[in-house]
């Protein structure tokens, strides 16, 4: 991503009665050579802030919303490494988001995206190569056969 780029993901958080936890985190999954001639398997290094049930609840309680539940909600995530881009995109998303939608910035840590691979020197960073990011949504549920869980899994969210 360049400094003026952001990835916007829209999703729904899992059902409350059947879920105990969810989280969203971005990883470097692959680093390409350029031009593309070989794949360099990434370290699977987490490179973003973590958005989860606990951080959403904590933020709302600090704001005085004591009855807040992070489940059964719409969530818009703005992933970028640039603070100005994050603020501009998050502001735009807040203006158009439906009611009861949280808009959160997933900050990419630029220093962590410069992974080190054993080429030449074991500490030689590969800064000239593009990365492939992988965002993971983890959901822990009590009963995978519960109707609410099956309906949640069957949903297709715009990304």
């Amino acid at each position: 991503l360049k400094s003026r780029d952001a990835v916007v993901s829209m999703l729904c958080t899992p059902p409350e009665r059947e879920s105990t936890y969810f989280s969203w985190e971005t990883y470097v999954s692959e680093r390409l050579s350029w031009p593309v001639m070989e794949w360099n398997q990434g370290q699977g290094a987490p490179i973003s802030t973590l958005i989860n049930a606990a951080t959403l609840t904590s933020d709302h309680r600090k704001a005085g919303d004591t009855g807040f539940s992070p489940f059964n909600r719409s969530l818009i995530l703005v992933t970028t490494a640039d603070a100005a881009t994050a603020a501009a995109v998050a502001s735009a998303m807040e203006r158009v988001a439906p009611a009861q939608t949280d808009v959160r910035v997933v900050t990419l840590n630029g220093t962590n995206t410069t992974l080190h691979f054993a080429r030449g020197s074991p500490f030689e960073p590969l800064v000239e190569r593009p990365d492939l990011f992988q965002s993971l949504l983890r959901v822990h549920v009590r009963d995978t056969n519960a109707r609410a869980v099956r309906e949640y899994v069957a949903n297709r969210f715009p990304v």
Side-chain angles (χ1 to χ4, degrees):
L1 296 176
K2 295 180 182 172
S3 64
R4 300 294 296 163
D5 293 338
V7 175
V8 176
S9 304
M10 296 180 280
L11 57 129
C12 293
T13 62
E16 183 168 21
R17 287 190 322 257
E18 302 299 333
S19 305
T20 57
Y21 178 80
F22 69 88
S23 69
W24 177 277
E25 194 166 16
T26 303
Y27 294 81
V28 170
S29 63
E30 303 277 345
R31 175 147 293 164
L32 299 173
S33 64
W34 198 257
V36 178
M37 294 168 34
E38 62 180 276
W39 291 90
N40 292 295
Q41 182 65 38
Q43 308 274 334
I47 59 166
S48 73
T49 53
L50 178 67
I51 303 294
N52 63 27
T55 59
L56 290 176
T57 302
S58 174
D59 291 349
H60 276 268
R61 289 194 176 144
K62 286 178 188 171
D65 186 359
T66 56
F68 172 80
S69 170
F71 299 97
N72 288 328
R73 299 180 64 85
S74 298
L75 186 59
I76 296 176
L77 302 172
V78 178
T79 304
T80 184
D82 183 77
T85 300
V89 175
S91 175
M93 291 294 104
E94 287 170 355
R95 286 193 301 275
V96 299
Q100 301 300 312
T101 299
D102 273 301
V103 177
R104 298 299 165 126
V105 173
V106 178
T107 306
L108 293 177
N109 182 343
T111 59
N112 287 349
T113 61
T114 307
L115 297 178
H116 298 273
F117 291 86
R119 287 197 182 274
S121 163
F123 302 107
E124 179 183 350
L126 300 177
V127 294
E128 77 283 356
R129 298 180 181 192
D131 294 321
L132 295 179
F133 298 130
Q134 174 181 355
S135 294
L136 294 177
L137 173 62
R138 294 181 186 92
V139 177
H140 184 270
V141 296
R142 293 180 181 92
D143 179 5
T144 57
N145 290 318
R147 180 179 177 179
V149 173
R150 288 193 320 268
E151 289 173 355
Y152 175 75
V153 170
N155 282 329
R156 297 292 177 252
F157 306 111
V159 177

